[in-house]
C-alpha cells in the first residue's frame, strides 16, 4: 500500500443514459427509463469540480450524446491527450446487460443507440477495459454503475460498494 503521486493533469468521461425510448425503438424491446441517472451525472460533475477536474477536461455524454461511437471516440481522444503522469476517471451509468450477451463474455453497458439484437451496436466491458489499458495515464478509475458490471472487474483491483458494505479486492 502507499500513496499515489499527485497527477499532472486530471481528465474525466461522464457517460450516462436515463431515457431508453431510442433503444426500445431500435430493438423492439421495452427498456425502462432510469430517472436517477441524471441526478448521478449532475452530482458526479460537481464532485469532479471539487476534485480539481476543470470542465475543459471533462467529456460529458448524456442520453442522445451517449452513443457507442461517442464513447469509443472519447476513449480514443484521451489516448491522444493524456500523459503517463495524468489521472483519468470514467463514470458509466446506464442499464447493463449480462455476460452472456457481451462479445467477450463480460457484459456491456446499454448506450443510447444499442440495438439489443445487434452485437455490432455495442461496446462491451472488455473493449472498455482494453481502451482504458491503452491510455498513457497510469492512474485510471472506472466506475461502472450498471447491472451486470461485476465481470468487467475480473483480474483488476476493485472496490465494490453495496448497501451492506465496501469490499476492496481483486476479482478472479
Amino acid at each position: 500500500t502507499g500513496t499515489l503521486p499527485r497527477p499532472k493533469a486530471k481528465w474525466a468521461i461522464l457517460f450516462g443514459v436515463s431515457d431508453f425510448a431510442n433503444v426500445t425503438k431500435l430493438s423492439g424491446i421495452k427498456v425502462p427509463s432510469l430517472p436517477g441517472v441524471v441526478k448521478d451525472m449532475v452530482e458526479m460533475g460537481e464532485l469532479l469540480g471539487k476534485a480539481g477536474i476543470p470542465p475543459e477536461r471533462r467529456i460529458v455524454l448524456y442520453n442522445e450524446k451517449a452513443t457507442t461511437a461517442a464513447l469509443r471516440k472519447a476513449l480514443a481522444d484521451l489516448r491522444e491527450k493524456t500523459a503517463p503522469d495524468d489521472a483519468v476517471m470514467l463514470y458509466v451509468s446506464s442499464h447493463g446487460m449480462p455476460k452472456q450477451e457481451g462479445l467477450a463474455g463480460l457484459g456491456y453497458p446499454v448506450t443510447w443507440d444499442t440495438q439489443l439484437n445487434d452485437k455490432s451496436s455495442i461496446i462491451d466491458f472488455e473493449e472498455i477495459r482494453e481502451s482504458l489499458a491503452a491510455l498513457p495515464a497510469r492512474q485510471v478509475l472506472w466506475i461502472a454503475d450498471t447491472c451486470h458490471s461485476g465481470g468487467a472487474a475480473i483480474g483488476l483491483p476493485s472496490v465494490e460498494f453495496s448497501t451492506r458494505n465496501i469490499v476492496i479486492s481483486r476479482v478472479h
Side-chain angles (χ1 to χ4, degrees), residues 16-100:
V17 181
S18 62
D19 177 0
F20 293 90
N22 191 54
V23 175
T24 296
K25 181 179 83 175
L26 293 171
S27 302
I29 301 167
K30 175 68 175 144
V31 181
S33 294
L34 292 173
V37 171
V38 67
K39 180 178 177 272
D40 295 343
M41 295 285 286
V42 169
E43 289 178 356
M44 189 60 72
E46 291 170 357
L47 180 65
L48 294 176
K50 291 176 184 176
I53 303 177
E56 63 272 13
R57 290 208 180 122
R58 294 183 223 160
I59 301 168
V60 180
L61 304 170
Y62 177 67
N63 275 345
E64 65 275 355
K65 293 182 180 179
T67 65
T68 298
L71 182 53
R72 283 186 177 126
K73 182 178 182 328
L75 290 164
D77 287 350
L78 286 186
R79 193 170 46 245
E80 299 300 318
K81 293 178 181 178
T82 59
D85 52 355
D86 289 351
V88 172
M89 195 271 289
L90 169 62
Y91 176 73
V92 177
S93 183
S94 182
H95 280 298
M97 296 301 289
K99 63 183 180 179
Q100 63 270 20

